[in-house]
Amino acid sequence: MTNFLRGIVDKIIAENGGQLAQCSLIIPNKRAAVYLQKYFADAFQKPIQSPEILTINEWIGFHTDLKIINQTELLFLLYEVHEKIEGDQKESFDDFIKWGKILLSDFDEIDRYLIPPEKIFKDLRSIKKIENWSFLATDLTEGQTRYLTLWDKLIDYYKQLNALLIDRSIIYQGLAYKKFSESLNQATWVKSHYYFIGFNALSRSEEKIITHLITDKKASIYFDVDAAYIHNEEHEAGHFFRKYQHLHKNSPIKDVFNTIKKDITVIETAQQTAQTLIAGNCVQEIYEKNNDLSSTAIILADESLLIPLSKSLPAGIGKANITMGYPIKFSHLKSLVDTIFDLQFNFQKFNSSRLYHKTILKFLDHNYIRLLIADEQGIEKFEDGLMSRNRIFVDWEEFIEYFPNLASFKTLLSLWSNPLKDGFDAFNTLVQALYEALTEVKNSDVDLEIIYHFSKGYKKFEQIAAVYPRALNLKSFKKLFYQFWQEESLSFLGNPIDGLQIMGILETRALDFDNLIILGMNEGNLPQTNVINSMIPRDLKLFHDLPIEDDRQAIFAHHFYRLIQRSKTIY
């Protein structure tokens, strides 16, 4: 049976022939682009000019004249608005962060779903006023009044932030979607036809944009759905597509899920990593049966299993392609960064500039630090002396006598009076020292990549902090610091369309495989149980048709059922 993307390619070629340069294909993730290009190449068997293939965020960015900024930079700008609105009553930046990020997330969502901000903030204020109303009190207390003033001012925050962004010629992503959806009649369409492929849940702005183009006969949309869950009103995987029937009313809904016989095996393991050993056996079994793994994929609902899995794959299977990248937050570098921050928090906890014994022992046990010291006997001697004398604290001067190789780490291992400045100085020193040491070690390419991506991540924060200098306490600095470097991932080279494929659940959108091995299918992984922080209560979100947790469940339900609908063997 023809898979989803190959079928779409056949339709596009039938409609356009070889004139593909005037087409634009809009997809939910970059991974599908590789397969689309392969299917076009297979169909023509000669060089052609490929159609434009973009993710929807890239496409919106292309139609936006302003620079789209990230949330951290936006947070600093919102604090400028906070200072202006609150004046002498302003909070410190550290206290502001706690609710500022939530407010920005709500702004983004309100704009993506084209909700009039005046209306929803007025409703929110009324709800909060009712919550604080008392039968027995004729007037609100001072605390209640101060609490309610925040809800009164939310619309001012929204308007003044928008004005500030316009003044600086920048924009955030949700607002970019809103602005584009409001200017469709003035938009310049550089392509003759747009194909929206493989989408699931659409925001109201996305729906408006796509509907406009379809009405003008400039676009087509192709959902990968199945009658098994579309026609079952109780099935959450079909939740969104039943809402979008006006977009695909002329497209037949196939019954693929129940047509293809599926061999599904559920395997329980006592430990998480034991799954990877079993996955290796499953891969070997499939390879021996088919002598081919090009239609086999291992899906990691838990991304931390990637490294154990890479060590469990059979040696004789040939090609394997890891497309998901390996988040460096799962690398052993994280424990070192955690320990460094623990040292700083202990300086504050004990009100002492000396090194706390438990944390410094943990610091010395890290492989990277042992590499820098290059004196195993010296480390052992120091640790034995510390334990035998029941030392609780160690002075910096005494510590450096044992480990002169760490003399440059004084900022790293001393109290940061200014976490923003001292913290960046400390980590810059650490990165430089590790880079110089690892370049002398054989087979250290992966470690060097980890250090590079760590530095690349927090340098973005350092650049933003230089533009928007604010005093941060240690807790706030750590929160923002982690936010940047933990987003970085190691990229692995491989053939993206041949051999065994290893990917995360979100990368599977629009892709089909005969054989699937899904790891980490535990509660909390699929779907992930991330707490949705919002100032807008659930009932108000329902009233304004904003997404709630049930919608998130429906999105992941579709990811899963769509993934297995054309598969034959599933572990």
Side-chain angles (χ1 to χ4, degrees), residues 239-357:
H239 169 68
F240 289 101
F241 302 101
R242 289 188 285 272
K243 293 171 59 177
Y244 304 144
Q245 290 185 19
H246 64 287
L247 293 177
H248 60 85
K249 58 185 176 182
N250 297 322
S251 302
I253 298 174
K254 297 180 180 180
D255 187 6
V256 177
F257 195 96
N258 293 322
T259 302
I260 300 176
K261 183 180 178 181
K262 304 182 191 307
D263 180 10
I264 301 177
T265 304
V266 179
I267 304 171
E268 297 181 7
T269 62
Q271 296 178 331
Q272 282 284 79
T273 54
Q275 299 178 75
T276 63
L277 299 174
I278 297 173
N281 294 333
C282 294
V283 169
Q284 184 66 42
E285 182 181 325
I286 295 170
Y287 184 69
E288 290 175 354
K289 182 179 179 180
N290 304 316
N291 199 33
D292 180 31
L293 294 173
S294 58
S295 191
T296 300
I298 299 178
I299 313 302
L300 300 181
D302 180 358
E303 294 179 343
S304 66
L305 295 174
L306 179 58
I307 294 301
L309 174 65
S310 66
K311 298 176 181 179
S312 303
L313 295 176
I317 63 172
K319 301 174 182 176
N321 182 48
I322 303 173
T323 64
M324 60 185 290
Y326 178 62
I328 63 172
K329 65 183 178 182
F330 296 131
S331 72
H332 50 289
L333 175 64
K334 181 181 183 297
S335 63
L336 177 58
V337 179
D338 288 344
T339 303
I340 290 168
F341 275 99
D342 284 345
L343 279 167
Q344 293 299 321
F345 282 113
N346 284 330
F347 287 141
Q348 296 182 352
K349 178 181 178 181
F350 298 110
N351 193 26
S352 172
S353 60
R354 295 182 296 170
L355 302 166
Y356 184 56
H357 73 289

Side-chain angles (χ1 to χ4, degrees), residues 27 49 72 137 147 150 156 171 202 205 258 283 298 312 332-333 357 377 382 422-423 428 432 468 471 533:
I27 53 179
Q49 187 170 355
T72 302
Y147 176 73
L150 172 62
D156 295 328
I171 198 169
L202 298 173
S205 57
N258 293 322
V283 169
I298 299 178
S312 303
H332 50 289
L333 175 64
H357 73 289
Q377 290 184 345
F382 174 82
D422 297 340
N428 287 335
Q432 183 63 31
Y468 305 99
N533 290 318

Side-chain angles (χ1 to χ4, degrees), residues 114 162 166 171 174-184:
L114 307 181
N162 273 253
I166 292 171
I171 198 169
L175 186 56
Y177 274 73
K178 177 183 178 180
K179 294 291 187 184
F180 182 40
S181 70
E182 292 174 341
S183 60
L184 295 172

Side-chain angles (χ1 to χ4, degrees), residues 80-87 153 155-158 160:
E80 291 185 19
V81 173
H82 172 72
E83 289 180 310
K84 184 177 179 181
I85 290 175
E86 302 298 341
K153 297 173 184 175
I155 188 62
D156 295 328
Y157 276 89
Y158 179 87
Q160 291 194 30

Side-chain angles (χ1 to χ4, degrees), residues 60-124:
I60 295 294
F62 177 79
H63 287 280
T64 302
D65 294 331
L66 305 178
K67 177 188 174 185
I68 299 176
I69 61 173
N70 61 43
Q71 193 188 54
T72 302
E73 186 171 354
L74 195 60
L75 188 65
F76 282 97
L77 290 171
L78 184 64
Y79 187 67
E80 291 185 19
V81 173
H82 172 72
E83 289 180 310
K84 184 177 179 181
I85 290 175
E86 302 298 341
D88 294 339
Q89 301 298 316
K90 69 180 180 181
E91 297 183 7
S92 68
F93 189 75
D94 300 300
D95 292 331
F96 166 78
I97 287 176
K98 298 171 186 175
W99 57 270
K101 293 180 69 174
I102 298 173
L103 188 58
L104 287 177
S105 178
D106 286 337
F107 285 174
D108 187 89
E109 189 171 73
I110 288 168
D111 286 337
R112 281 180 189 266
Y113 283 82
L114 307 181
I115 307 298
E118 294 86 354
K119 177 73 171 95
I120 194 168
F121 290 135
K122 180 182 177 182
D123 293 344
L124 180 58

Side-chain angles (χ1 to χ4, degrees), residues 418-435:
N418 181 349
L420 203 61
K421 180 183 181 302
D422 297 340
F424 285 132
D425 288 345
F427 282 109
N428 287 335
T429 301
L430 175 66
V431 166
Q432 183 63 31
L434 288 175
Y435 178 79

